[in-house]
Amino acid sequence: MLANTTGHCLTAHQAMIPRILKPFPYMCGSRMLSGYKPKSNVKDSYKILELEEGCSLDDIRNSYRNLAKKYHPDSGSSTADPEAFIKVEDAYRVVLSDVANKKKSKENKEEEEEDQFKTKAPQHRHYLSFEGVGFGTPSQREKQYMQFRVDRATEQVLEYRKQKLESQYVATDLMRAKDVRESKKVKITQAVERLVEDLIQESMAKGDFDNLSGKGKPLQKFSDCPHIDPMTHNLNRILIDNGYQPEWILMQKEIRETIERLRKGLVASRSKLGEPMTPYRQKQWNRICEQFMEDIRKLNKRIDSFNLVVPILSRQMVHFSADKEILRAQKTYKALMENKEASDSDTKEEEQENVKRFEISIAQKNQSEDKAGDEGKLVLPEK
């Protein structure tokens, strides 16, 4: 703030102050200090701070802090001395300036040594920068490269926002579809319950339940296991007694019949191909195996559906392995071939024994006929 002759206050901007009056900075580590020029030299400053040359910045700060507490006029201590505090502060600034200059000279020396050992790249190397973007002078290419980076960043931001919006829309669509499916299930369940209730009421009005054997008696529990829902098992028992079976039992029966049919079909196909396996037969066998794998995949999906509806965990089924089933079919085929060979050898041996027995019986018959003929000749009278 400045005042003119009339007493009005004037505001002075920093740019209006002459450059001579501006404080010039000097570096101490990473701090900007004022342009104070001390009168004492470096050695006296170290002695005032009770330090030696080559000490660290922490030692300098700690020494200054202790001396300031000792000599500062506002400290309230018995050793307070303003002149001594001014000397300590001057010495502190001199020491900091000395440490900063040494550090700067050391860094400059190291940089010079590094520059001596650095290999100078040829002048054409600067054309390899900027990712090969742009043409012209290096400054022109730098501007073009900056614009290229801005465009690329803009495209990436737009792509990210697009993907984010697409994921949000997909999630909302899935939620809507799920809600629609759930609402349909609820409606179907409620409709079925109403239909069953109406049928029960009609049957009760007609008197269909009057002649039941267990009328008026409590239902017996199907199982005493605490982990099983008694209501579900009671309903299952009632259905079974009246000739119905639960859904999971029918699914289990269907799965077992399907795997047995697939196993028999695979063994039969292998038996039709026979031995030895020619390249053409090998291709046929590979196609049969691929079709078998597809059938096993569908059967495993059916098993997943079965595991969701089965009420007992111990009754759940595991997936079938197509590779294991193919190996099993090949072993079964080999066993059948061995049994067939053994049976063929047994039949040949039996035929040979039958032939021998037949020949022996014929020989015995011939011998008996010869004996009978000899006896007849002996009995005849002589003329």
Side-chain angles (χ1 to χ4, degrees), residues 77-279:
S77 61
S78 58
T79 58
D81 188 358
E83 295 180 358
F85 176 72
I86 292 172
K87 292 181 179 180
V88 169
E89 189 174 6
D90 293 340
Y92 176 65
R93 293 184 179 182
V94 171
V95 170
L96 287 180
S97 300
D98 182 62
V99 172
N101 293 330
K102 288 181 179 179
K103 184 177 180 181
K104 189 174 182 180
S105 61
K106 184 178 180 181
E107 290 177 354
N108 293 332
K109 188 175 180 181
E110 290 178 355
E111 289 179 358
E112 290 177 359
E113 291 178 355
E114 289 179 358
D115 293 337
Q116 291 178 359
F117 293 103
K118 284 183 179 179
T119 57
K120 293 183 179 180
Q123 295 296 325
H124 67 277
R125 275 301 189 80
H126 65 278
Y127 289 104
L128 300 177
S129 59
F130 308 123
E131 299 181 11
V133 176
F135 58 90
T137 62
S139 60
Q140 293 175 350
R141 295 180 69 244
E142 184 178 3
K143 292 180 181 179
Q144 295 170 12
Y145 177 65
M146 294 299 294
Q147 185 62 35
F148 169 74
R149 290 184 62 185
V150 171
D151 297 339
R152 184 171 60 183
T154 306
E155 292 177 358
Q156 291 177 356
V157 170
L158 294 175
E159 185 67 22
Y160 171 74
R161 290 180 179 176
K162 180 182 176 182
Q163 293 178 0
K164 190 175 181 180
L165 292 174
E166 288 179 354
S167 62
Q168 290 178 357
Y169 288 140
V170 169
T172 53
D173 293 340
L174 291 176
M175 292 296 292
R176 290 175 183 173
K178 185 177 180 181
D179 293 338
V180 171
R181 288 197 300 269
E182 293 295 331
S183 62
K184 287 183 180 179
K185 287 182 181 179
V186 171
K187 290 180 181 178
I188 292 170
T189 305
Q190 292 177 354
V192 171
E193 289 178 354
R194 287 197 299 269
L195 178 61
V196 171
E197 186 66 25
D198 294 339
L199 293 175
I200 291 172
Q201 293 295 332
E202 290 179 3
S203 298
M204 290 176 65
K206 291 178 183 179
D208 295 337
F209 297 156
D210 294 338
N211 298 324
L212 295 177
S213 60
K215 181 181 179 181
K217 297 180 181 180
L219 294 174
Q220 296 179 358
K221 290 186 178 181
F222 184 76
S223 177
D224 295 331
C225 181
H227 303 289
I228 299 175
D229 184 16
M231 181 61 69
T232 303
H233 281 278
N234 286 331
L235 293 174
N236 290 337
R237 181 178 62 81
I238 293 170
L239 292 172
I240 292 170
D241 293 341
N242 290 275
Y244 296 95
Q245 291 181 351
E247 180 184 3
W248 64 274
I249 292 178
L250 296 176
M251 291 178 66
Q252 187 180 26
K253 182 179 179 182
E254 179 186 355
I255 291 169
R256 290 177 178 174
E257 290 177 353
T258 304
I259 189 63
E260 290 297 328
R261 177 173 56 79
L262 292 176
R263 287 171 178 172
K264 290 181 181 178
L266 189 63
V267 174
S269 300
R270 182 66 184 86
S271 300
K272 288 180 181 179
L273 295 175
E275 291 290 345
M277 290 289 287
T278 60

Side-chain angles (χ1 to χ4, degrees), residues 314-336:
S314 59
R315 295 293 183 89
Q316 289 188 346
M317 303 178 69
V318 297
H319 287 183
F320 293 102
S321 176
D323 297 334
K324 291 182 179 179
E325 294 295 334
I326 292 171
L327 292 175
R328 180 178 179 179
Q330 291 178 350
K331 291 180 181 179
T332 305
Y333 169 72
K334 290 180 181 179
L336 290 174

